[in-house]
Amino acid sequence: MTRIATASFSKLFAIVALTPLLASAGAAQEASAKAPRPVAYKVRLALTVSGAPIEGAVIVVDGDKIAAIGKASETEIPFGADVVDLGDVVAAPGFVHAASFAFTSARDFDGRGKRDGGERRIADEIAPDRALLDRLAKNGFTTLNIVPPDGGVGGRGCLVRPVPETGRALRPEDVVFERDSCLAMAFAPRTSTKKFWSELLKKVDPKEAEEKSDGAPRSRASSSRPASRPSSGDSESRPTSAPAASKAADPRKDPKLEPLVDVLERKRAGLLHLAGPAALAHFEAILKEHEKFRPTFVLPPDSWAAVDLAAKYAKSVVLSTSASLRPDTYVYRFAPLEFVEKGVAVALIPETSAASAYVDYPFHLAEAARRGLEVDDVLRAATLTPAEILGVSDSIGSLDAGKRADVVFWSQHPLAPSARVVRTLAAGAVVYDESKEP
Amino acid sequence: MTTSQKTARAWILALAPLAFCASAQDSRPESGPSGEAETRPVAESGPTDSRDAAASSRRSGRRGPRPGRGAESRAAAKSESRPESVPTSPFLAVVDGVVYTGVGATHRRGSVLLKEGKIVDVGPRVSIPDGARVIDAKGKHVAPGFVSVSAFGTFSGGFTARGEEKAGDEFDPYSQRMLMALASGVTTACEGVIQGGGGFFGGRVRGARGSGTPVGQLAGFAGKHVYGTVEGVTLREGVAWMVQYSASDVVARGQTREAIEKAVAAKKRRAAPKDKDEAATRAETIDETTRNWLRVFDGELPCFIVADDAPDLVAVADLSAEYDLPVVVVGGEEAWIQPSRLARGRLSFILNPRRRDGSGGFTDPYKGEPNGWSVRTAAIVGEAGFRWCVQPLSGAVGTGGLMGRDLLQLNMDAAFTVRGGASEADALASITSAAARILKLDDRVGSLERGKDGDVLVMDLDPLDYRSFAEIVIVDGRVVYEKDKVSFFNHVQTDRSAGLKGRWSAER
């Protein structure tokens, strides 16, 4: 995973670096393309998210990483660095979208399908679109986790980020910097989908299923195979000396099942889209059966109804910023608040994957704060929490030295009603600059 | 402490460990009687579900009061140390109410004892085990949960079960419609059998799988309104065997007879097989339709035939008599005309007491054209010895549509039959035990008897009183609805025990 990421990243960076950078602050950005010099951005306030906000901060960006961040008085600006004083701006980490259908052809996705696409990579299918990419950058997004919009096991998601103008049509490899970010799954309650999931997980997690279904009589003879699959003839003939090996090896050999095994072993992020609170209630039986299967739930706005149930099975969930109107009563409920109050970490995403949703996103985040979430929690829910869910919080999600330079400079605090994005850096490159806009 | 305060306190203590409807908690009445106001925060701070105790204790607490709920939240936080004293007995008792068993008997001061979702005892002399959670129903009326033969949308909005897909695998346990049905006392309902139940839908059967066929078609889903869980919802997938049969359609009648003849033949063969193997072989070769007809003959599955006109009713009665076939007549609008003629058949009736449109075609209700309707139909059908139950004009629940004649007021349809001469006991049975018997669900629901499911209503007045509301609804031994905590009816706060001289008149 890491190897792939690095490889594709360096390739991408080469493209970025070789491209004449959009000059953003006069001479500062017009550094030599071959050996970019460090840039020190001075801001009024840096919201690190991981720690306390820093007043009068300087952020040193070297290449694609944040080399240093701290108070201007305490941070050494390296020799030869360009200093860009942005004045009265607030720096914050770029937003991370935990589960987006952007650049895919998602229509009326409801999770009812029964696709078995463990080996599928959405990175090979996306159609990046310059207009949307620019819009993302303009609204503070620096990372999108694109997930396949299919029910059952949809496939592996990929991480995408805005890139500067390349002068030609965008290709997936221009924007994808992590081809294998998570396994995306979806469930809507049906007899057939329940059956699909229960059979699929028995293949991946046979031992538990067997222990649960019936105990004593079979345990000796068939410890290496699921009780409910009598047709696996080869394991019958196999010597009993290597039950453990066959247990682990079988699902791993199947490229469709392998990522699911990773999810069970917590080596890979698993996102499970649930069609509603009812879907969770129906899925509970499967979760009970497989104690290792604890994916992150992606839930619609009406999930407040199942908040207790969700809190039982998930440490973190992905929710949209929408409030849901309780039918017939005209009472609004705001799911993110109710989940946070139950101690569940919440990652916020825009209401839809439509381009317009990204434009309103900062506004909707502010609305989340108005509905009762702490301002700091809202910011974290849009940056570091999704990064943690995707297992990439060591490189993105907050403003810390050593992390990738995904920095958004806002005219005010990002949740202020009149806040504008002044400049966006994605992996150190300027992908949006207000002063260059027509 | 006044009696009402004591009562309120007793309720709260009893209910604290139970599962309240999660969704119900956002809406609080701004000023209830003082006793309730005092104790409500205690109840709300308790664990929402006793089974969740472990899970809720590991969850980190809230970091501050929610905005806009300051005083109340703080009160709740203060009393959070209470739950240690919460009893964990498996028993739940509803004590000292007027208990209607639904099968005739009424205990003026009786109790119902529930254990693990089932009724273990009911009557005037029930011994309540130590530690049992107790709901004091003094001055209240306790009835079995209502059973509705027609409902639309209480299990979910999009009800698409077909083929291998089962409704019990896709219903929504958090459906607001389900909660509204519970608010009306309906704890058991059939979806997809008779959706419209007359009126707007012309009284014709509309199933999720069509409206029945001459040879018969399995339709519907019978379930319980187990709000907030998916366990124990399904009573039966495929509620009724829907058959189209009318006096005028000769061809269809022939098809029906053919199908029945086949089943009768299969029944005879089944009764006298040469040996075991042959019995098994024959059972296998029986087709799906015949198998369902056999279930009808065996009394496992109700056979529904829509008939309103007198000629249709006579035709159905004759069919029933000819084959000794138990039939449930849906509609029965003109059954009052010749009850003795109909008595030949093994019939029972699903009536629409408050329907007055023309059967078989549209008639303008304002022109006074005769349309076969009689307020006495239920009474006459009952006198003739038929079992009958009622369905509302619309099986839907909601804040739109028919006011007062939909599933939200099922008990008013029952009460209306009393106006036509039916006894109150029969009227109550028509939405409880008789409905359960007609649907063949009476092994589980429909009455307050030992061994039945713990579906209990605590109402402020007689269930047939037009002023009555369900105050507490228990399904499978779980409290799933409380009037004061859900915003549907909690704004209706009158002193019910004072009748019409309650708060409203006092204020004037």
Side-chain angles (χ1 to χ4, degrees):
Chain A
M1 214 165 135
T2 323
R3 198 164 45 79
I4 297 167
T6 323
S8 62
F9 173 72
S10 55
K11 186 169 147 197
L12 183 65
F13 184 68
I15 297 165
V16 174
L18 290 169
T19 311
L21 290 170
L22 287 174
S24 54
Q29 280 296 305
E30 282 158 21
S32 158
K34 284 187 180 171
R37 292 189 299 190
V39 186
Y41 293 95
K42 284 186 171 176
V43 293
R44 175 173 68 79
L45 182 70
L47 302 166
T48 62
V49 175
S50 57
I54 303 167
E55 297 264 4
V58 62
I59 304 169
V60 181
V61 174
D62 190 0
D64 63 329
K65 290 213 162 59
I66 298 175
I69 177 169
K71 273 196 178 300
S73 53
E74 295 161 9
T75 309
E76 196 182 327
I77 296 173
F79 179 74
D82 295 315
V83 178
V84 181
D85 191 347
L86 290 166
D88 187 19
V89 305
V90 179
F95 297 141
V96 180
H97 192 319
S100 168
F101 297 136
F103 311 127
T104 68
S105 51
R107 276 185 208 93
D108 301 327
F109 166 67
D110 65 359
R112 269 173 201 161
K114 300 181 284 287
R115 195 177 177 123
D116 193 0
E119 84 284 29
R120 176 187 180 203
R121 281 191 172 88
I122 196 70
D124 300 327
E125 298 173 29
I126 60 168
D129 157 16
R130 169 53 69 185
L132 179 54
L133 207 60
D134 286 350
R135 203 177 273 216
L136 288 167
K138 187 177 175 178
N139 287 282
F141 281 96
T142 53
T143 307
L144 260 74
N145 182 36
I146 312 287
V147 291
D150 282 292
V153 179
R156 307 178 197 194
C158 66
L159 294 183
V160 157
R161 67 156 173 255
V163 290
E165 184 59 66
T166 50
R168 57 173 172 76
L170 279 175
R171 287 192 293 251
E173 57 267 32
D174 295 336
V175 293
V176 174
F177 68 94
E178 164 63 67
R179 281 172 51 78
D180 207 355
S181 62
C182 70
L183 184 68
M185 300 157 279
F187 173 79
R190 284 281 185 281
T191 311
S192 54
T193 50
K194 277 182 172 180
K195 203 169 136 206
F196 166 83
W197 273 103
S198 127
E199 282 173 4
L200 184 70
L201 283 167
K202 265 179 202 156
K203 282 185 212 164
V204 183
D205 186 22
K207 202 189 95 222
E208 270 187 48
E210 185 185 327
E211 278 172 3
K212 289 267 158 61
S213 62
D214 60 359
R218 289 179 194 223
S219 58
R220 170 183 278 270
S222 59
S223 63
S224 63
R225 70 188 164 89
S228 57
R229 293 168 51 79
S231 60
S232 54
D234 59 339
S235 76
E236 200 104 46
S237 58
R238 200 172 286 159
T240 48
S241 57
S246 69
K247 214 186 301 174
D250 273 351
R252 276 231 171 263
K253 272 180 198 161
D254 187 340
K256 284 185 175 178
L257 298 180
E258 193 221 326
L260 199 57
V261 178
D262 287 347
V263 171
L264 262 71
E265 293 174 0
R266 298 180 189 251
K267 291 177 187 164
R268 179 194 299 271
L271 296 184
L272 178 66
H273 284 76
L274 290 167
L280 181 54
H282 284 279
F283 203 74
E284 193 194 3
I286 292 160
L287 292 168
K288 271 187 190 162
E289 190 83 5
H290 300 279
E291 281 162 20
K292 282 193 258 168
F293 187 57
R294 290 293 176 267
T296 298
F297 302 137
V298 185
L299 294 163
D302 58 352
S303 318
W304 48 262
V307 64
D308 286 324
L309 201 54
K312 221 159 144 183
Y313 294 102
K315 288 197 183 73
S316 53
V317 294
V318 179
L319 289 162
S320 87
T321 51
S322 326
S324 101
L325 183 64
R326 211 173 92 183
D328 297 334
T329 60
Y330 303 98
V331 176
Y332 272 100
R333 304 283 296 250
F334 187 53
L337 178 63
E338 303 195 15
F339 277 83
V340 166
E341 286 185 345
K342 289 279 177 197
V344 181
V346 170
L348 288 172
I349 59 174
E351 287 172 26
T352 68
S353 287
S356 58
Y358 300 112
V359 178
D360 293 339
Y361 189 56
F363 178 80
H364 287 303
L365 288 180
E367 195 160 297
R370 274 204 293 283
R371 289 192 188 279
L373 281 177
E374 302 285 335
V375 169
D376 293 346
D377 285 352
V378 174
L379 206 55
R380 194 182 202 284
T383 55
L384 193 53
T385 306
E388 282 166 356
I389 287 171
L390 297 169
V392 288
S393 57
D394 54 344
S395 61
I396 58 172
S398 62
L399 298 185
D400 284 305
K403 284 203 179 183
R404 224 178 60 197
D406 289 350
V407 191
V408 183
F409 301 99
W410 297 82
S411 62
Q412 297 172 45
H413 189 287
L415 300 194
S418 53
R420 302 181 326 273
V421 173
V422 174
R423 190 178 296 191
T424 303
L425 303 183
V430 177
V431 290
Y432 173 75
D433 186 345
E434 188 188 44
S435 63
K436 300 285 184 260
E437 289 293 292
Chain B
M1 200 182 238
T2 65
T3 315
S4 71
Q5 278 174 322
K6 270 184 199 161
T7 311
R9 172 65 59 89
W11 283 23
I12 298 302
L13 288 178
L15 297 176
L18 299 177
F20 293 140
C21 317
S23 62
Q25 297 188 0
D26 68 308
S27 46
R28 295 140 207 237
E30 63 281 20
S31 62
S34 60
E36 280 176 53
E38 230 170 68
T39 45
R40 184 167 295 114
V42 177
E44 286 179 357
S45 65
T48 51
D49 189 332
S50 54
R51 292 168 305 177
D52 278 2
S56 65
S57 66
R58 74 169 160 74
R59 283 170 215 146
S60 67
R62 53 207 287 168
R63 262 174 297 174
R66 278 162 74 154
R69 300 188 180 174
E72 258 175 326
S73 315
R74 279 192 291 278
K78 220 184 273 177
S79 55
E80 242 159 44
S81 55
R82 272 207 81 261
E84 280 115 76
S85 61
V86 165
T88 52
S89 164
F91 290 99
L92 172 65
V94 181
V95 302
D96 289 348
V98 180
V99 176
Y100 305 84
T101 58
V103 285
T106 302
H107 306 292
R108 284 294 145 202
R109 193 172 164 184
S111 303
V112 185
L113 183 64
L114 310 173
K115 187 192 179 190
E116 285 155 6
K118 295 277 180 188
I119 297 172
V120 290
D121 204 358
V122 60
R125 282 178 295 278
V126 175
S127 59
I128 309 297
D130 287 343
R133 292 163 290 161
V134 172
I135 294 175
D136 185 355
K138 200 168 185 184
K140 309 282 176 189
H141 297 249
V142 181
F146 299 154
V147 179
S148 178
V149 295
S150 72
F152 179 53
T154 61
F155 290 101
S156 71
F159 186 78
T160 57
R162 66 174 68 83
E164 66 158 334
E165 311 287 2
K166 291 188 176 126
D169 281 329
E170 62 178 82
F171 78 100
D172 181 356
Y174 305 105
S175 154
Q176 293 306 306
R177 290 195 186 113
M178 184 184 283
L179 198 57
M180 286 189 100
L182 287 169
S184 351
V186 179
T187 56
T188 299
C190 297
E191 181 140 2
V193 189
I194 316 160
Q195 287 186 355
F200 289 163
F201 299 95
R204 292 289 169 256
V205 175
R206 283 157 192 260
R209 301 157 195 225
S211 55
T213 64
V215 297
Q217 193 176 27
L218 199 60
F221 165 77
K224 298 181 62 172
H225 293 149
V226 285
Y227 190 86
T229 172
V230 295
E231 279 158 32
V233 66
T234 306
L235 287 169
R236 191 161 73 233
E237 296 270 357
V239 178
W241 186 241
M242 316 290 296
V243 179
Q244 277 179 359
Y245 194 81
S246 74
S248 53
D249 191 341
V250 182
V251 177
R253 271 162 56 199
Q255 289 173 332
T256 309
R257 279 168 184 281
E258 204 176 303
I260 297 176
E261 297 278 2
K262 210 171 154 188
V264 169
K267 198 173 143 195
K268 273 183 195 151
R269 283 202 307 274
R270 189 181 62 175
K274 279 179 196 157
D275 50 52
K276 262 188 179 176
D277 286 346
E278 194 186 332
T281 326
R282 276 184 187 157
E284 274 170 25
T285 54
I286 293 173
D287 61 271
E288 191 71 32
T289 304
T290 308
R291 196 172 298 137
N292 282 319
W293 275 109
L294 285 173
R295 286 173 69 199
V296 172
F297 278 113
D298 293 346
E300 292 169 15
L301 185 68
C303 169
F304 280 23
I305 300 180
V306 177
D308 280 310
D309 298 349
D312 284 351
L313 287 166
V314 168
V316 171
D318 289 350
L319 179 78
S320 169
E322 188 179 342
Y323 295 104
D324 193 26
L325 176 75
V327 173
V328 178
V329 173
V330 182
E333 203 164 277
E334 294 181 350
W336 59 274
I337 296 175
Q338 287 177 291
S340 55
R341 177 80 170 75
L342 303 183
R344 298 178 55 194
R346 291 173 63 189
L347 307 183
S348 45
F349 287 85
I350 297 174
L351 305 170
N352 288 92
R354 292 192 287 168
R355 184 175 116 208
R356 199 168 64 167
D357 61 349
S359 57
F362 179 79
T363 52
D364 188 338
Y366 302 105
K367 284 183 181 161
E369 292 166 7
N371 50 28
W373 164 85
S374 167
V375 69
R376 295 203 63 228
T377 304
I380 291 170
V381 163
E383 279 160 21
F386 297 115
R387 178 171 287 120
W388 56 275
C389 69
V390 300
Q391 59 169 326
L393 198 55
S394 157
V397 286
T399 49
L402 294 165
M403 175 122 178
R405 292 200 286 176
D406 58 11
L407 195 58
L408 278 173
Q409 278 84 14
L410 181 63
N411 55 342
M412 287 300 94
D413 278 290
F416 197 70
T417 64
V418 178
R419 186 177 179 82
S423 73
E424 292 194 11
D426 282 354
L428 184 60
S430 76
I431 49 174
T432 55
S433 58
R437 286 284 289 273
I438 284 170
L439 292 163
K440 314 275 185 205
L441 301 172
D442 51 322
D443 57 327
R444 293 276 306 274
V445 299
S447 62
L448 298 180
E449 291 177 292
R450 281 182 204 180
K452 296 281 175 76
D453 289 8
D455 302 348
V456 184
L457 312 179
V458 179
M459 306 189 80
D460 49 359
L461 289 171
D462 185 311
L464 298 179
D465 192 304
Y466 62 90
R467 293 165 293 171
S468 65
F469 279 103
E471 296 196 334
I472 295 178
V473 179
I474 301 166
V475 174
D476 284 349
R478 282 167 63 244
V479 173
V480 289
Y481 168 80
E482 279 178 281
K483 176 172 167 254
D484 281 350
K485 295 190 179 288
V486 181
S487 53
F488 300 143
F489 295 128
N490 64 358
H491 59 292
V492 188
Q493 291 286 342
T494 53
D495 182 358
R496 296 281 154 180
S497 59
L500 287 177
K501 291 182 180 170
R503 199 175 108 191
W504 302 119
S505 56
E507 278 172 3
R508 282 183 205 118

